[in-house]
Amino acid sequence: MAQQAESSLHRASIGIDMSAKDRREKREDTQTQHTKAFLDFLPPWVLLNLRNPKSWKLFLRSWVGSWAALILFLPDKSLGVLGNTAFFTLLSSIFLPAYLPIQMFFILVSTLVIGIMLGWGIGAAAMRAALASRSQVLLMSTLEKVQSRYVTDPIPQMLPREQSLFFSAAGLADPEALFTADIFQGMFLDVRSSIVFGCFLGLGTFIFALVRAYAPGLTMMSVFGTIALDIYCTFGPLFPTGEYNILNSLLTSVASYVAIAVVVSVLIFPETSNHSCLSGICAQLDKLQGLLEIQSDVLNSTPEDLSPDKALLKRILALRAAVIGGQQQLTAKSKYISSEVSWGKWSGDDVKGLEEPLLAIMVRIAGLQNFARLMGKPQLPPCPESNHPNQDSITTSSVSVTREIEQPQGVNDTYLLRHLAQQNRLAEANHTLEIQHMLPLLRDSTSDLREACAHGLVSVKETLDFINKYRWHRNPNLDGACSKSLDDAIERLSAVLSEFKDSKR
């Protein structure tokens, strides 16, 4: 009896453990389903970056740079050094995050600083011209008025802060503070000076707008040049004397972030433009392989599965958009690749030479997706009966007398085109050539060709990845394996293509 009781307890405990395990697995499966359901609502470009380790590395580098810029202007000592525009330390980290390769980042930072200096130069010229245009009589009278107010008006109507400034000036403790307060209250504004600053502001803004329009690569220079000029021409009319160091605080704040970004770019996942471009090309080949392999799903589906509201067509369009966006990023990176200094198996010109063939492959594979879009195109409705006596010939008169019918969403064809499409569908049905009958033939006849193309992309991607990872040393065994893999892929693709042209087509 005791043994039976123990065995029953043992079976019960096992049952409890199994049920607890089943509940735990079920709960984990539910959480996984909820996570997938949440990810499905995210845009495709967000999903691609969430699943890409390189994107996380760039995010970490930019995140550290922005946090360091934020912490820098929190202490009072830092604020005393940075000045009134200390917030530009953080703002610069948002304008130009530290996500670029080192030398490319240096180039963009250089254009940023040049833009500030150009804005500073135009603002200084505006200051000099404005001082020359000021009315000296009005300036002297304003100065006398301000000086007399210090003596004859013991307690003017002021705000508490202004009263403290006044009393400190009256006690000769800080007379410059009250003079500064009068400047920023607009006591020394002059119409002529303001007009000159306004003219220089318009001229400088027009110059920077031309730079932004005709040289998009210098957009950062144009933006920061416009900011510097705005600051100079906004505060410049307030000063009765030459103040050519208005932008000291701005340049100090920007220089502080530049120093942070340089340190972060060098210490956290550093890379060159050469390495970044090759990584981008490998990522593009992965996406192109995905576009090519998704053709198997297209050929195994029905036209209803490829309607615009179905998941398959959305996946295809998302991959296609990711390929186009990746190509645009590669084009932007490769502009400066030939001017950088890097050590590797391939030079910048070698990497740049891949652009044209990669673009050709991208256009062909991306264009292949039009087949899926055509399959999922809404079917044309049957044509209404025409009152024309000759039903076999469709003329302009018969089209004009037919009544207008409702068309499905996404179809804007005329009556004549709909009639021709209907006749074409009838002929396809009579000869068993409808799309559902042709898809198995397409799938079987192109299977070897699609596999060979995908295998070729994989071989090219592995070779480029090897060249990019082992940049500084050679390995004859691995080099030979990559060369052999490429040769085998070329031979296989040539053989399959010849077979397709000769018999399977």
Side-chain angles (χ1 to χ4, degrees):
M1 294 294 293
Q3 291 180 354
Q4 292 178 357
E6 288 179 1
S7 62
S8 62
L9 287 175
H10 181 64
R11 287 194 299 269
S13 63
I14 292 176
I16 292 173
D17 292 340
M18 292 299 293
S19 61
K21 184 178 179 181
D22 292 340
R23 288 196 299 269
R24 185 169 61 254
E25 291 179 352
K26 185 176 181 180
R27 185 167 58 252
E28 291 176 355
D29 292 340
T30 304
Q31 292 176 354
T32 304
Q33 291 176 0
H34 288 321
T35 303
K36 291 182 178 179
F38 171 73
L39 293 177
D40 291 338
F41 286 102
L42 295 177
W45 63 271
V46 175
L47 285 176
L48 290 173
N49 286 293
L50 286 177
R51 295 165 179 169
N52 187 4
K54 181 178 175 61
S55 299
W56 283 103
K57 292 179 181 180
L58 298 181
F59 172 75
L60 177 62
R61 192 197 303 169
S62 304
W63 180 80
V64 171
S66 296
W67 267 106
L70 174 64
I71 294 172
L72 182 64
F73 74 89
L74 292 180
D76 292 336
K77 291 184 178 180
S78 298
L79 286 177
V81 174
L82 296 177
N84 294 329
T85 58
F87 63 92
F88 262 92
T89 306
L90 180 60
L91 193 62
S92 300
S93 70
I94 298 174
F95 269 111
L96 186 60
Y99 72 99
L100 295 170
I102 298 173
Q103 299 186 47
M104 188 182 297
F105 182 78
F106 283 156
I107 293 173
L108 284 182
V109 163
S110 301
T111 61
L112 185 151
V113 175
I114 291 173
I116 294 177
M117 301 305 293
L118 286 175
W120 197 332
I122 298 174
M127 176 72 75
R128 182 68 184 86
L131 291 176
S133 65
R134 270 185 178 273
S135 172
Q136 298 300 317
V137 177
L138 179 61
L139 177 60
M140 295 305 296
S141 63
T142 305
L143 287 172
E144 291 176 358
K145 180 180 177 181
V146 170
Q147 291 176 358
S148 63
R149 187 169 67 84
Y150 294 165
V151 178
T152 60
D153 191 6
I155 307 180
Q157 294 181 353
M158 299 180 180
L159 297 174
R161 175 176 173 80
E162 296 174 352
Q163 289 181 9
S164 63
L165 292 175
F166 175 80
F167 288 130
S168 62
L172 299 180
D174 191 7
E176 293 184 359
L178 185 57
F179 184 71
T180 302
D182 288 334
I183 288 176
F184 285 99
Q185 288 176 5
M187 294 291 294
F188 297 96
L189 283 174
D190 183 87
V191 175
R192 298 179 182 178
S193 175
S194 300
I195 291 175
V196 171
F197 273 108
C199 292
F200 272 87
L201 177 62
L203 177 63
T205 305
F206 177 72
I207 292 173
F208 287 121
L210 285 179
V211 172
R212 190 182 303 122
Y214 289 97
L218 300 177
T219 298
M220 198 61 63
M221 182 190 79
S222 174
V223 169
F224 274 81
T226 305
I227 292 173
L229 185 62
D230 288 344
I231 295 174
Y232 221 115
C233 292
T234 301
F235 289 96
L238 301 175
F239 293 94
T241 57
E243 291 289 337
Y244 298 101
N245 296 326
I246 297 177
L247 297 180
N248 270 356
S249 176
L250 173 65
L251 195 58
T252 304
S253 302
V254 173
S256 300
Y257 168 69
V258 170
I260 292 172
V262 169
V263 173
V264 169
S265 299
V266 172
L267 297 181
I268 301 179
F269 304 116
E271 63 176 355
T272 61
S273 297
N274 191 305
H275 182 274
S276 178
C277 284
L278 271 179
S279 299
I281 292 173
C282 292
Q284 281 289 89
L285 292 175
D286 273 337
K287 298 171 189 174
L288 292 175
Q289 181 187 352
L291 275 177
L292 193 58
E293 291 176 347
I294 208 172
Q295 286 298 307
S296 299
D297 297 334
V298 172
L299 296 176
N300 285 316
S301 62
T302 61
E304 290 76 16
D305 296 332
L306 290 167
S307 58
D309 58 338
K310 297 296 183 179
L312 181 57
L313 187 60
K314 290 181 179 179
R315 279 175 51 206
I316 294 173
L317 296 179
L319 275 173
R320 189 173 183 272
V323 168
I324 295 174
Q327 188 65 34
Q328 292 174 348
Q329 293 179 1
L330 278 177
T331 304
K333 288 180 182 179
S334 62
K335 290 181 180 179
Y336 310 102
I337 192 173
S338 299
S339 61
E340 76 165 1
V341 179
S342 64
W343 178 263
K345 296 181 179 180
W346 282 13
S347 66
D349 293 335
D350 294 330
V351 177
K352 200 169 183 179
L354 295 175
E355 281 189 357
E356 186 174 350
L358 180 64
L359 182 61
I361 295 174
M362 186 199 76
V363 170
R364 294 184 181 186
I365 296 181
L368 188 62
Q369 311 313 311
N370 289 330
F371 176 73
R373 301 180 70 176
L374 289 175
M375 276 185 59
K377 185 179 179 182
Q379 292 293 327
L380 295 171
C383 295
E385 294 296 332
S386 174
N387 294 327
H388 196 275
N390 188 3
Q391 295 292 334
D392 296 331
S393 61
I394 304 299
T395 61
T396 306
S397 60
S398 66
V399 174
S400 61
V401 298
T402 54
R403 57 185 177 88
E404 183 178 356
I405 66 170
E406 184 180 357
Q407 301 190 57
Q409 185 178 3
V411 177
N412 297 311
D413 293 332
T414 61
Y415 174 85
L416 179 60
L417 290 178
R418 282 181 282 136
H419 179 84
L420 294 175
Q422 183 185 23
Q423 298 300 320
N424 187 55
R425 290 201 304 272
L426 291 174
E428 288 177 352
N430 292 332
H431 295 83
T432 320
L433 293 175
E434 293 177 301
I435 189 65
Q436 59 267 24
H437 300 124
M438 298 303 299
L439 283 178
L441 296 176
L442 286 173
R443 182 178 61 248
D444 296 337
S445 61
T446 62
S447 60
D448 294 338
L449 185 59
R450 286 184 282 111
E451 290 178 3
C453 290
H455 177 69
L457 288 176
V458 171
S459 300
V460 174
K461 188 255 180 184
E462 290 177 350
T463 303
L464 294 179
D465 197 28
F466 166 76
I467 292 171
N468 203 24
K469 286 183 177 179
Y470 300 94
R471 299 173 58 83
W472 302 318
H473 62 277
R474 296 185 180 276
N475 189 327
N477 295 329
L478 293 178
D479 289 342
C482 289
S483 299
K484 186 176 184 305
S485 175
L486 284 177
D487 293 339
D488 293 343
I490 291 174
E491 291 178 2
R492 177 183 176 185
L493 182 59
S494 300
V496 171
L497 186 59
S498 299
E499 182 184 6
F500 178 78
K501 290 180 178 180
D502 293 340
S503 59
K504 292 188 177 182
R505 186 174 62 175

